[in-house]
Structure formats: structure tokens, C-alpha cells
Amino acid sequence: MPEKKGAEGLSIGIIMDGNGRWAKQRGLPRTAGHKVGADVFDDIALYAKDIGVRALTFFAFSTENWQRPKDEVKAIMDLFGQALKRIEKYRKEDNQVVFLGDRTPLLPEYQKRMADIEAKTAHRTGMILNIAINYGGREELVRAAQQLAQEAADGKIKPSDIDNACIEKHLYTSGQPMPDFILRTSGEHRISNFMLWQSAYSEFIFVDTLWPDFTPAHFDAAVAEYHRRDRRYGGL
Ligand code: IPE
Ligand code: IPE
Ligand code: MG
């Protein structure tokens, strides 16, 4: 019997895509898809924690998503505000929550809640739950470059001191494991500016399921697919 491998200890990134198409198929406004998508986010975060995932990163809103109609952006941000309220109620044994991205354009009230949640959960040892909001992989690398340039200008480091570890320390995911796999729903086969540095050796799993239809069974299937892959990291 082959060993049954589960999700324990894995770091996983999820590009939650397809909310709009899910709604359109039902003749509903796109925002209805985002609403169901937010429920699925809760279900999958809970499920992943239960099965021992180490770190789970959700792509909730990209730096490019501001280009969408104002009403849709507002609806997504309202749902994010509601998610923050639910996350604030997490119990002590629940996740360590980290927000990835530039939060300065968000409502001051949200920024405060985000800082509170991060401070309150920072010492937890359970699953790391990363929520990427106004996140872009390029923006993250630009920010790291700016911080390192500042340290060099201040004479704290020499340009030649900058190595991979140094850059990783300046990413939003500082200190965290790199994603073992990145899953994208909705049949799109692209990364759309998600975890550009971190995904250097991640496996990519693309499924046709639209995010609002995504279930724990689909999650299990993705984990099983991951275990069928042979990661070589450039070796043999
Ligand atoms: C993902 O679903 C959610 C966000 C990007 C915020 P979409 O809204 O991109 O849904 P589609 O891709 O248009 O179907
Ligand atoms: C990526 O999905 C961003 C999130 C899931 C938050 P998009 O729907 O914005 O990506 P594109 O536009 O199809 O590349
Ligand atoms: Mg999309």
C-alpha cells in the first residue's frame, strides 16, 4: 500500500478566482459571487487548519483589482471588513493571522483592526493564515528593494551584503515557509502577480472549478495532486 500523504506541514497559496463568472452563470450580479466566495474562504481556512496545513495564503485583492468598477471594489472591501470581524472572534487556539500587501489605501478602521489581529495572534503556533489584500508580487519586491537601499544609504549594510535571505527578510512573508504549491481556481493558467519570489520552486495546480463551488474535497484532491509531483529543485 502506498503511504497516504496528507496536508500536514504544507505551505499552500490559493488564487481564489472565478467569483464573477459563477455569478454571471446564475444571472446574478458579480458581487453575489464575491459573497459566496467569502463563505468558501471561511470554510477552506477552517478545513486547512483542521488537517494540519502549516501556512495558507489567500489572494483576496490584487494591486490591479482597483481597476474594477467602483461598486465592485466597494463590495469586495465591505466583505473584507466583515471577514475582519469574523477573524477577530477566532479563539486562542486558532490561526496566526498575517496580512500581505500595502494596507495604507484601506479604511483607517480596517488598518487598525488588521494591526490588532496581527498583534493578538502573533505568538500563536497554529496555522499561519496569510490574507493578501492590495497585494502585488512586484510591489512587494519593489518595497524590499527600497528598504534595502535605505539600509545601504544609512550605512547599515553594504550592497554586497544583499543575498536571497536578506531579500526574503523584507518580504511580507518574512520568516515563513515558501509555498509548496499554489492553487488557482476557475481555469485560468496564470499567476497574476501573486507571490512572485516565493513561488520560485512551488508546484502549480490549476483547476477549472470556480471559487464559489470549491469544497474541502477539491482541496484534498489538490493536496493529492501535489503529492504526485516530483520536486527536483534543479537536481536529479
Ligand atoms: C476572484 O474572482 C476575486 C477577486 C479577484 C477579488 P473574480 O472576481 O476575478 O471572478 P472572475 O475571474 O471575473 O470570474
Ligand atoms: C487574481 O485574480 C487576483 C485575485 C484572485 C485576488 P484576477 O481575476 O484579478 O486575475 P486576472 O485579471 O484574471 O489575471
Ligand atoms: Mg478573475
Side-chain angles (χ1 to χ4, degrees):
M1 280 267 288
E3 189 194 344
K4 195 170 181 299
K5 294 180 185 146
E8 297 87 32
L10 293 182
S11 174
I12 300 170
I14 301 185
I15 303 174
M16 309 183 272
D17 198 15
N19 293 349
R21 278 164 284 170
W22 182 92
K24 196 174 167 209
Q25 284 174 357
R26 285 159 181 77
L28 298 168
R30 291 178 56 86
T31 51
H34 294 311
K35 201 162 178 317
V36 177
D39 294 338
V40 174
F41 159 84
D42 283 357
D43 293 347
I44 297 299
L46 190 70
Y47 181 67
K49 174 187 165 272
D50 284 349
I51 62 172
V53 170
R54 176 73 196 102
L56 186 62
T57 306
F58 286 102
F59 201 6
F61 192 85
S62 76
T63 46
E64 290 74 27
N65 287 147
W66 298 106
Q67 297 167 49
R68 295 190 179 194
K70 251 176 131 170
D71 287 0
E72 179 168 345
V73 170
K74 186 177 179 313
I76 294 170
M77 287 301 161
D78 287 350
L79 286 166
F80 176 62
Q82 291 166 25
L84 287 175
K85 285 191 182 152
R86 292 195 300 277
I87 291 169
E88 272 170 347
K89 295 195 186 112
Y90 279 179
R91 295 157 305 166
K92 272 210 283 299
E93 63 275 27
D94 286 339
N95 309 317
Q96 175 190 345
V97 182
V98 179
F99 297 96
L100 319 182
D102 174 14
R103 57 189 78 176
T104 55
L106 304 182
L107 285 177
E109 176 201 331
Y110 287 6
Q111 293 182 48
K112 186 183 174 309
R113 281 210 199 123
M114 290 159 80
D116 286 351
I117 289 169
E118 284 179 332
K120 208 173 89 187
T121 65
H123 304 293
R124 295 184 183 173
T125 52
M127 186 177 86
I128 301 169
L129 173 64
N130 291 317
I131 300 172
I133 182 116
N134 190 27
Y135 171 88
R138 286 177 172 170
E139 178 273 333
E140 181 179 39
L141 288 166
V142 166
R143 174 178 169 270
Q146 287 176 348
Q147 291 176 351
L148 289 164
Q150 189 61 55
E151 287 178 23
D154 294 344
K156 292 182 189 145
I157 57 167
K158 296 195 297 292
S160 59
D161 292 335
I162 298 172
D163 57 9
N164 286 351
C166 205
I167 290 176
E168 277 172 25
K169 231 172 63 194
H170 287 81
L171 301 179
Y172 292 116
T173 51
S174 175
Q176 298 187 17
M178 299 293 129
D180 292 301
F181 73 86
I182 291 184
L183 169 83
R184 182 170 188 149
T185 58
S186 89
E188 305 297 353
H189 296 188
R190 56 177 169 262
I191 186 143
S192 301
N193 205 10
F194 186 54
M195 299 190 103
L196 297 182
W197 174 284
Q198 295 90 334
S199 65
Y201 268 102
S202 302
E203 296 296 324
F204 285 93
I205 299 178
F206 298 108
V207 299
D208 289 338
T209 313
L210 303 174
W211 179 251
D213 289 328
F214 196 79
T215 63
H218 292 110
F219 191 87
D220 286 343
V223 171
E225 167 64 22
Y226 166 75
H227 286 301
R228 285 193 288 273
R229 305 280 177 91
D230 179 18
R231 300 179 82 184
R232 290 189 288 278
Y233 300 99
L236 293 178

